[in-house]
Amino acid sequence: MEERPDGIEDPDVRHALDAWGIDPVTWEYAPVGFGDYHWTAADTRGRRWFVTVADLTRKSWYGDGTEAAFQGLRDAMDTAAALRDAEPHGLDFVVAPARNADGGTVRRLGSGHAVSVFPLMSGTPGHFGDTLTAHDRGLMVELLAKLHRTAPPPSARVLPAAFATRPQLDAALREMGGPWDGPGPYAEPARRLLLDHATALRGRLGEFDRLAGELKDGGGPLVITHGEPHPGNVLRVGERRLLLDWDTVGLAVPERDLWLVAEGPADLARYEEAGGRGPDPSALALYRLRWALNDVAEFLDVLRAPHGRTPDIEQAWRALAGTVESLAAGAQGRS
């Protein structure tokens, strides 16, 4: 996030690092990503760290309320650490959180936030929306096949295909008849955007329900999945690819990951050859659609809440408009 978290000051975060035995000598806010807050630090022993403060009010896929969000985040971070540390051979592409003195991976920070600490890795970061070359896709497909073959640790949760923000999206579609001009400058434009494309969005929700029903009836075995292996969560180190941001890790069908990487039959065949099962086109379509609908719900949730005209809010508005228009165009293509 470009903006810093409300109610959390730098000394609060630095003090939380005591649990990891980290005494920062350098400290800098890193305005990257969307949803969480980040700092970089170096300590008195020359170690470099990437410190993440999670906003527990923005983790709805873990359940209702900040306590459920904290428990879910803890399970996810514990899962990532277990994948990295598994015996006899951990997954060296998992950039997992460091364990603190108590063996934990997450620490509460106030009532609505939590902090995790990661080693700051050297490499070339990607960006969401980057176009992968065939070579890059091949490396990622093989990485995902290895991940999906790994035995899941006990902390890994089963993640249903349904998206937790569905009630917010359904409510917005019901409540778009009157103005949303109270919360902030982008609320009313968001309502008009939804009104213009309501029929298409309802059609895409129906399509999602149909695909989810097909997956429930005939989906394959669940595997450990990352959830968001897009280029923005990948660090390139020579020919190695490291996966970041494991807060969405959990048990699901492989297509939950594959749709973000594979572009065609050759990539899917390579995945199968690398030890994965043959991907299901219907499940790939389901998770592609799920991503877009969940984004619409999350951005609407932000823009229907009190807000000002800030860089993060402007990013949310642009992303909402682009995603809604893309979903509507996809609906036209199916009519």
Side-chain angles (χ1 to χ4, degrees), residues 92-108:
D92 62 357
F93 56 79
V94 177
V95 180
R99 295 191 183 276
N100 60 33
D102 297 328
T105 56
V106 185
R107 179 183 175 90
R108 291 296 292 253

Side-chain angles (χ1 to χ4, degrees), residues 10-11 18 30 35 56 78 202 235 261 269 273 281 315:
D10 281 13
D18 289 347
L56 298 176
D78 286 351
R202 290 192 179 101
L235 191 69
V261 175
E273 291 167 3
Q315 179 184 349

Side-chain angles (χ1 to χ4, degrees), residues 152-153 156-160 222-225 248-253 256 287:
R157 294 187 174 195
V158 174
L159 301 178
L222 305 184
V223 300
I224 191 71
T225 60
T248 54
V249 67
L251 294 168
V253 293
R256 179 177 185 245
Y287 277 97

Side-chain angles (χ1 to χ4, degrees), residues 295-312:
D295 271 358
V296 169
E298 288 192 346
F299 293 132
L300 281 171
D301 205 33
V302 170
L303 298 177
R304 296 189 73 188
H307 64 269
R309 197 178 295 274
T310 68
D312 288 328

Side-chain angles (χ1 to χ4, degrees), residues 17 24 34 36 40 55 61 72 75 78 97-98 110 126 130 138 150 154 174 180 194 223 253 265 268 275 294 310:
L17 300 187
F34 190 87
D36 290 339
T40 59
D55 182 347
W61 62 90
D75 286 347
D78 286 351
D130 285 352
T150 301
R174 288 195 307 268
W180 296 350
L194 212 61
V223 300
V253 293
L268 298 176
N294 182 68
T310 68

